[in-house]
Amino acid sequence: MARHVIDLDESRCIGCRACEVHCQVKNRTPAGVRPGQLVAVGPERSRGEVRLAAAFRPCFHCEKPWCVAVCPVHAMVRRADGWVHVARELCVGCRACIAACPWKVPQWDETIGKVVKCDGCMDRVAAGLVPACVAGCTTHALSFAQANENVRKIRLHYARSLLVQKQRG
Amino acid sequence: MSVKTVYSVCGMCGVRCPIEVAVENGVCRSIQGNRHSPGIRGAICVRGAAGIAALQDDERPQFPMRRLGARGEGRWQRISWEEALAHAAEKLAEAKSRNGGRSILWSDAGGPFSDMRKALVRALGSPNFFGREAFGEVNTHHAALSLFGFGADRLVYDLRHARQVVLQNRNLFESIDVRQANELLDGLADGGRLTVIDIRATVSAAKADRFLLIRPGTDLALNLAVIRTLLAEKLYDAAFAGKWIADLEALERAVAGDSPEFAEAETGIAAGEIVELARALAQAAPRVVWHPGGMTARYRDSFLVSRTAYIINALLGAIGARGGLPLAAGSEDLNQKGLNRFVDLFPAAAEKRADAGGGRPAVYAQGPGLIHQAFQAIESADPYPVKTCVVYENDPLSELPDPGRIKEIFGRLDFLATITSAWTETAWHSDLLLPLSSYLERESIAGELPGLTPSLSLRRRCESPRYDTRADWEIISGLAGRLGVAPLSFGSAEEIWDRQLAGTGVRLRDFEARGIVPLTAEPWYAPLGAEFRFPTASGRIEMQNAEWRDQGLDCLKQVVVRPGLYACTFRLAVGGCSLHVEGHTVNNPILFKQMPENVLWIHPAAAASAGIADGDAVSVSGPGGTGRIRARLTESIHPEAVFMVRGFGRTLPVESRARGQGLADTALMAGGLERTDPLGGGLALQEHVLSVTKA
């Protein structure tokens, strides 16, 4: 796993898909190819409750990525800092990575006959910026953080709110 | 390779969020929100992100064109800008000399950068400049006028600091004002509470602590019951009311019969919930925002719904309060010299506006205008003949009801010209098409954005025009030069900005660092101090406005006119969504791919009785015609209504993607131009009944 993660705060997400489009524009992919995908269910009303569930699926940047293992031409690369990306000039378009990935993260771009996928916007990150999906997210629901940073924040926030409740009796 | 950041302003919808554009060797690469803009902090919504695709798309008007053949036939002749501007100027001059300046009607997108266009209309001697708010928000503006003496834009919604927010007729998280959406989410994260009242379970409803699914067309009963509860239980702010509210007793008498039980029978919302809501609001007062509605061209009583929303805010002392609806500040409030305005160079036309026919009340003249009534003057010549129309960046034929009827009306015009950056149904129907550069290829004049942190803003050219298109200031300058209106004829945007900024203390280079120039360092909250007066006859908030009443507009009278619904008939409800809010986004390559057609929301119980299954093609028909659309079965819609996203069902061969996809809501609204709110004057788009059957 990469040192950083792209995290979604569901309570802020409005399911607008700006993340997908910011990603497409940055990576100059055709309109039908989405390296980052927002999976949103709802808003749907059932039994009086209205729910909107959302998850953002760019790439998990696995510690042992099957897509890298299966690539016959070493176009799929895992960098030392953890970002898994396609070296586009090497890709021969065999799509073995798509077949291997349990999440079907790599996307087929028929206009260039190659695979494209989330590379964590490593060029932006190297320039001191955050990934395009995070930078443009309509409601700042996406964040870019160290792997355990957000988890720690959420854990603390939850524990504190319990303590406050207990204090108030 | 050099990448530079150009600060500009988004043009994908009417909100106009501040943006920054990454430009690489003269080509726009990506867009995000302006990182220096408070509330926005770099964010831009999905439509704004897809602005790049609109720029790259070749399916837009690329050069000036003159109509050959009949209107709408689609036979065009390419002409030069010289010919196009000369032709337009000649037609405008001819209209003025033959029928007077008042015979010219200018239908505009409105917004903060419209001063130069307004000025040209004035210079031509016409009072008939109508902005986009004249269509959707006129009831809200009129409601504010009747109470406060000023329009809706004089108040800000302080969503960041409100403890209780009620969204009614305002789907904030799908129509997406990026700043407001973030401010509300920040407020909610800080413990604020959100109530959403709607006939649909929207994204906004999903974010609500309390969602009230209301029976279509009954919002007024709910609001009246809340007012009665606030009064009967003495939950209102008596000190505020004593000082600022006129005729409280008249209001008390008017709502005496509007018990929560009465409202329950009307709305389907339990009386207990209504009382609970009123009490919760009172507890949070004055940090309460009950939104009076963005798009209120909905029902025949939408004016009163909006007005009662404002009254609830007033009873809770929220008008003028931090965390409520404080006054918007402009340069005048801050004792600063504002931008030099072009409209001030010309006297306002002495004539009344074209929407003043049919004996309509004179008080409407204070509002933004009734564009649907002005169009009718083209046919009726009441109050006077209107023979020439210019449409700037809006599309009456896809936004207003009953396009067939509007085409008939347009048939009476001597001349119809369109200035547009995207293809529109109206452009296709015009005599002359002046192609506007995309918002990323053009500058705008400077504009002032009032609010708690008022600021100056302007659009920069991020990329040279890809086609033979021009900026609006270039088009206006070209027309003004040929019409002998020298003060509106400029050679460069810098000349315009210099003129606007002269004496303000703000220099052009001040825009370079951050794109926007704030007029205050801190948010400006103006208290309703001792010397403050509302611009009404009494100087207070008027529950019964005597001037309006004397003109036949009794603001305390309840109007309840409801269409009869039978088996398999429904009210048609319409609106936007995050991807498509105005028709011009449907053919955008990225947004089209995200959502290529609209579907008909229908409640499963209603669908079952008509034998309709999810995904079925259904036939919807009303008095105006029949259409085909796919059904989406969902409990998210009230069983008495069906819903569709607006702007679909495009017909133009030049829009290869959007053409023929989905259904146009407006085509099902026969007679819709005449169906209006008797008090507010706005259109009532949701007063149309359709029958739905399996196709």
Side-chain angles (χ1 to χ4, degrees):
Chain A
M1 191 173 158
R3 281 179 212 144
H4 286 85
V5 290
I6 295 168
D7 241 354
L8 178 71
D9 175 356
E10 244 186 299
S11 73
R12 288 190 80 96
C13 179
I14 56 171
C16 75
R17 303 186 183 276
C19 44
E20 294 183 357
V21 175
H22 283 297
C23 170
Q24 289 181 301
V25 171
K26 192 269 172 183
N27 290 303
R28 298 183 207 172
T29 63
V33 178
R34 292 173 206 157
Q37 174 136 29
L38 185 81
V39 185
V41 180
E44 196 64 64
R45 179 169 165 264
S46 101
R47 291 185 295 273
E49 290 278 301
V50 186
R51 289 218 174 78
L52 170 65
F56 187 49
R57 289 283 173 265
C59 171
F60 289 107
H61 297 279
C62 304
E63 201 64 22
K64 289 185 179 168
W66 296 0
C67 58
V68 171
V70 80
C71 180
V73 293
H74 304 293
M76 192 66 84
V77 186
R78 182 175 183 274
R79 279 201 335 188
D81 59 4
W83 295 124
V84 179
H85 66 103
V86 184
R88 202 172 272 194
E89 65 284 1
L90 298 179
C91 176
V92 294
C94 71
R95 287 177 272 188
C97 53
I98 301 178
C101 175
W103 320 101
K104 302 291 174 243
V105 159
Q107 299 291 299
W108 176 243
D109 181 349
E110 65 175 11
T111 63
I112 54 171
K114 291 170 192 284
V115 157
V116 293
K117 73 174 285 297
C118 167
D119 65 358
C121 279
M122 51 192 194
D123 53 342
R124 285 180 60 97
V125 174
L129 301 167
V130 295
C133 54
V134 177
C137 172
T138 308
T139 52
H140 299 286
L142 288 176
S143 62
F144 185 65
Q146 298 277 344
N148 273 333
E149 196 180 318
N150 277 357
V151 177
R152 196 156 43 237
K153 262 192 240 167
I154 294 165
R155 187 156 70 172
L156 278 177
H157 178 81
Y158 182 67
R160 279 212 190 97
S161 67
L162 283 183
L163 288 177
V164 170
Q165 266 180 23
K166 196 174 152 193
Q167 250 179 5
R168 285 182 186 158
Chain B
M1 181 164 63
S2 75
V3 180
K4 64 172 185 166
T5 299
V6 180
Y7 293 107
S8 194
V9 178
C10 185
M12 291 296 284
C13 82
V15 179
R16 299 178 183 85
C17 296
I19 55 172
E20 49 183 85
V21 183
V23 182
E24 184 184 326
N25 298 325
V27 179
C28 294
R29 287 302 182 198
S30 63
I31 305 172
Q32 72 169 101
N34 184 329
R35 279 172 286 181
H36 303 294
S37 175
I40 300 262
R41 293 179 286 120
I44 199 72
C45 82
V46 62
R47 299 187 297 267
I52 287 276
L55 168 75
Q56 293 165 346
D57 192 9
D58 61 0
E59 291 193 354
R60 55 177 167 129
Q62 299 181 2
F63 39 76
M65 278 176 267
R66 199 157 139 178
R67 173 172 64 86
L68 299 173
R71 277 196 183 136
E73 199 186 314
R75 285 171 52 216
W76 297 98
Q77 177 192 18
R78 178 175 183 167
I79 55 174
S80 69
W81 273 103
E82 177 56 40
E83 284 174 279
L85 291 169
H87 181 58
E90 185 192 315
K91 288 291 182 184
L92 290 170
E94 197 180 293
K96 190 180 174 185
S97 67
R98 193 182 295 169
N99 299 304
R102 67 184 189 180
S103 71
I104 299 167
L105 170 63
W106 188 288
S107 171
D108 200 273
F113 309 126
S114 52
D115 179 36
M116 203 171 163
R117 304 192 295 271
K118 274 184 197 153
L120 181 70
V121 177
R122 262 200 193 184
L124 287 165
S126 172
N128 294 315
F129 178 95
F130 292 84
R132 180 188 286 282
E133 65 273 28
F135 153 57
E137 298 157 31
V138 70
N139 280 326
T140 318
H141 279 280
H142 283 175
L145 274 170
S146 75
L147 285 159
F148 311 119
F150 50 62
D153 39 18
R154 184 77 170 110
L155 296 173
V156 181
Y157 310 113
D158 192 2
L159 303 171
R160 175 66 186 85
H161 301 108
R163 307 311 293 165
Q164 287 280 353
V165 174
V166 180
L167 296 179
Q168 181 178 40
N169 288 313
R170 180 80 178 109
N171 185 5
L172 178 59
F173 293 126
E174 288 184 77
S175 60
I176 316 185
D177 176 317
V178 175
R179 178 177 181 161
Q180 285 188 8
N182 277 288
E183 285 177 346
L184 178 54
L185 286 168
D186 291 348
L188 297 181
D190 261 2
R193 288 284 176 267
L194 175 65
T195 300
V196 169
I197 302 160
D198 206 318
I199 64 166
R200 289 191 298 136
T202 59
V203 173
S204 306
K207 297 292 173 200
D209 302 283
R210 183 190 280 116
F211 170 57
L212 303 176
L213 183 80
I214 193 165
R215 185 173 165 223
T218 64
D219 294 73
L220 181 59
L222 171 73
N223 293 13
L224 291 169
V226 169
I227 291 173
R228 183 181 178 272
T229 306
L230 292 176
L231 292 171
E233 297 193 6
K234 303 271 179 234
L235 294 170
Y236 66 98
D237 183 336
F240 182 92
K243 194 166 173 202
W244 295 116
I245 296 183
D247 301 320
L248 191 62
E249 306 71 31
L251 176 70
E252 269 180 311
R253 281 195 302 277
V255 301
D258 301 322
S259 65
E261 291 71 27
F262 147 79
E264 176 177 331
E266 290 283 301
T267 62
I269 297 167
E273 283 234 59
I274 298 172
V275 173
E276 212 176 279
L277 172 62
R279 289 177 186 161
L281 297 180
Q283 239 179 4
R287 290 169 69 180
V288 173
V289 175
W290 186 305
H291 204 293
M295 161 69 182
T296 46
R298 296 202 182 272
Y299 302 111
R300 273 182 282 227
D301 59 4
S302 283
F303 165 82
L304 285 179
V305 173
S306 190
R307 196 172 193 273
T308 45
Y310 277 126
I311 290 176
I312 293 168
N313 289 311
L315 288 173
L316 296 166
I319 303 297
R322 182 174 182 274
L325 291 82
L327 296 172
S331 47
E332 281 169 35
D333 303 286
L334 303 166
N335 293 319
Q336 294 179 22
K337 180 172 159 40
L339 294 171
N340 299 298
R341 304 195 317 163
F342 290 109
V343 282
D344 295 337
L345 297 173
F346 308 95
E351 318 259 2
K352 53 186 170 185
R353 278 191 319 233
D355 59 331
R360 266 178 290 280
V363 286
Y364 289 168
Q366 301 157 21
L370 303 165
I371 185 72
H372 49 288
Q373 306 289 14
F375 280 143
Q376 290 182 58
I378 295 169
E379 193 175 70
S380 64
D382 174 20
Y384 46 72
V386 172
K387 308 294 278 179
T388 296
C389 184
V390 181
V391 177
Y392 177 90
E393 284 285 75
N394 70 113
D395 190 7
L397 280 177
S398 75
E399 291 165 5
L400 294 178
D402 207 347
R405 178 89 185 90
I406 297 175
K407 280 181 189 168
E408 264 174 46
I409 289 172
F410 282 169
R412 310 251 178 166
L413 287 170
D414 289 343
F415 182 59
L416 173 62
T418 303
I419 303 171
T420 184
S421 61
W423 275 109
T424 63
E425 303 281 325
T426 308
W428 192 251
H429 204 72
S430 305
D431 304 327
L432 179 71
L433 195 159
L434 301 174
L436 188 66
S437 299
S438 134
Y439 68 94
L440 296 166
E441 302 163 316
R442 69 177 195 256
E443 306 86 355
S444 74
I445 64 169
E448 185 177 318
L449 311 172
L452 292 175
T453 47
S455 59
L456 299 182
S457 155
L458 52 81
R459 256 191 204 122
R460 297 272 189 179
R461 194 176 288 224
C462 304
E463 184 177 322
S464 303
R466 296 184 174 203
Y467 304 107
D468 190 15
T469 59
R470 291 198 179 171
D472 64 316
W473 69 263
E474 293 175 301
I475 296 171
I476 300 298
S477 289
L479 292 173
R482 285 168 179 81
L483 287 161
V485 186
L488 294 181
S489 181
F490 290 90
S492 73
E494 285 74 16
E495 273 176 49
I496 297 176
W497 293 328
D498 283 343
R499 193 196 170 278
Q500 289 185 289
L501 293 170
T504 60
V506 176
R507 293 152 309 173
L508 189 51
R509 80 175 93 111
D510 296 338
F511 290 88
E512 262 146 43
R514 304 181 150 210
I516 40 176
V517 179
L519 300 179
T520 58
E522 293 295 316
W524 187 87
Y525 288 97
L528 302 185
E531 68 287 4
F532 183 83
R533 277 177 64 84
F534 286 93
T536 54
S538 63
R540 301 199 286 167
I541 304 169
E542 302 198 328
M543 297 299 104
Q544 175 66 288
N545 186 314
E547 192 188 357
W548 285 58
R549 189 195 50 210
D550 294 346
Q551 292 180 26
L553 304 172
D554 187 340
C555 294
L556 288 177
K557 203 177 74 185
Q558 296 174 36
V559 187
V560 182
V561 193
R562 244 175 250 132
L565 294 177
Y566 311 96
C568 302
T569 67
F570 305 86
R571 249 188 217 267
L572 173 61
V574 296
C577 65
S578 53
L579 294 158
H580 298 297
V581 78
E582 287 155 17
H584 74 93
T585 56
V586 178
N587 199 51
N588 177 296
I590 288 180
L591 297 174
F592 174 80
K593 203 78 183 178
Q594 285 277 359
M595 179 178 168
E597 63 171 358
N598 57 354
V599 293
L600 190 77
W601 294 32
I602 182 168
H603 193 278
S609 60
I612 296 165
D614 193 42
D616 275 356
V618 295
S619 159
V620 290
S621 47
T626 300
R628 234 176 114 94
I629 188 169
R630 275 192 314 114
R632 178 196 163 205
L633 269 55
T634 173
E635 282 184 36
S636 296
I637 176 105
H638 192 282
E640 285 185 10
V642 288
F643 167 82
M644 64 175 84
V645 170
R646 310 198 72 203
F648 283 84
R650 318 251 326 155
T651 65
L652 310 184
V654 281
E655 293 191 312
S656 68
R657 293 170 291 268
R659 186 188 196 191
Q661 295 280 329
L663 189 58
D665 58 322
T666 51
L668 300 164
M669 298 176 180
L673 273 188
E674 287 89 20
R675 200 157 300 179
T676 55
D677 182 318
L679 289 177
L683 284 165
L685 300 186
Q686 295 191 172
E687 297 283 6
H688 295 267
V689 175
L690 299 180
S691 68
V692 180
T693 52
K694 201 168 163 174

